[in-house]
Amino acid sequence: MNKPITVLTRNGEAKLKAELDELKSVRRREIAEKIKVALSFGDLSENSEYDEAKNEQGIIESRIAEIEATLAHAQIIDDDDISTEKVGIGTIVKILDIEMEEEMEFKMVGTKEADINSGRLSDESPIGAAILGHKVSEVVDVETPSGTLKFEILDIRKDDEE
């Protein structure tokens, strides 16, 4: 079975690589030290410190494996590949919620980089999927659990910080 391709911006790739480096070089050492200390307490059958450290080790190793798999199967979007003709991953999009008369601005990103609180909208979210591929001044219907919303695309640009 083929792994699904994860789309990442260069910035997203850099963040994942930094997290991976931190987990491998710092967190692994910290956990190894915790396990070593817990082992010095003796009897492992009633050693909650040991159990806790081993659980934490499992979580960290799982995250390392997840990041490595993501990076191994990632499609990296370079700034040069980003067009402002249509909404795509890596673009900054300003949209207008027609009913609420509210403007919003998002950076379109792949699912692994999504963080709505930071203005990073996933290409797989209802709004992200609906506006993907559309041009400035187009009105897009977005199906949501609470009904259909209409958004007008006001602006598409590249990110200056990438």
Side-chain angles (χ1 to χ4, degrees), residues 1-6 69-70 73:
M1 184 171 136
N2 288 344
K3 277 262 195 204
I5 298 223
T6 300
T70 297
H73 298 94

Side-chain angles (χ1 to χ4, degrees), residues 3-6 8 16 20 62-75 112:
K3 277 262 195 204
I5 298 223
T6 300
L8 293 172
L16 281 178
L20 184 60
S62 175
R63 181 63 182 151
I64 288 170
E66 178 186 351
I67 293 171
E68 287 177 338
T70 297
L71 291 171
H73 298 94
Q75 175 187 350
K112 296 283 184 180

Side-chain angles (χ1 to χ4, degrees), residues 8 16 19 22 27-28 36 40 74 77 87 97 100-101 107 121-122 129 136 141 150:
L8 293 172
L16 281 178
E19 181 183 353
E22 165 82 8
R27 297 290 292 138
R28 268 185 175 163
K36 185 175 158 186
S40 72
I77 303 293
V87 176
D97 181 330
M100 300 300 251
E101 296 182 3
K107 174 157 188 180
L121 184 66
S122 168
V136 170
D141 291 335
K150 288 188 179 296

Side-chain angles (χ1 to χ4, degrees), residues 9-24:
T9 60
R10 281 278 171 217
N11 192 20
E13 177 191 37
K15 285 180 180 176
L16 281 178
K17 285 181 174 180
E19 181 183 353
L20 184 60
D21 185 53
E22 165 82 8
L23 289 172
K24 285 181 163 184

Side-chain angles (χ1 to χ4, degrees), residues 79-99:
D79 197 44
D80 296 341
D81 299 334
I82 298 170
S83 166
T84 56
E85 290 292 311
K86 295 180 179 179
V87 176
I89 292 178
T91 58
I92 306 280
V93 182
K94 186 184 286 189
I95 58 175
L96 172 69
D97 181 330
I98 294 173
E99 184 180 329

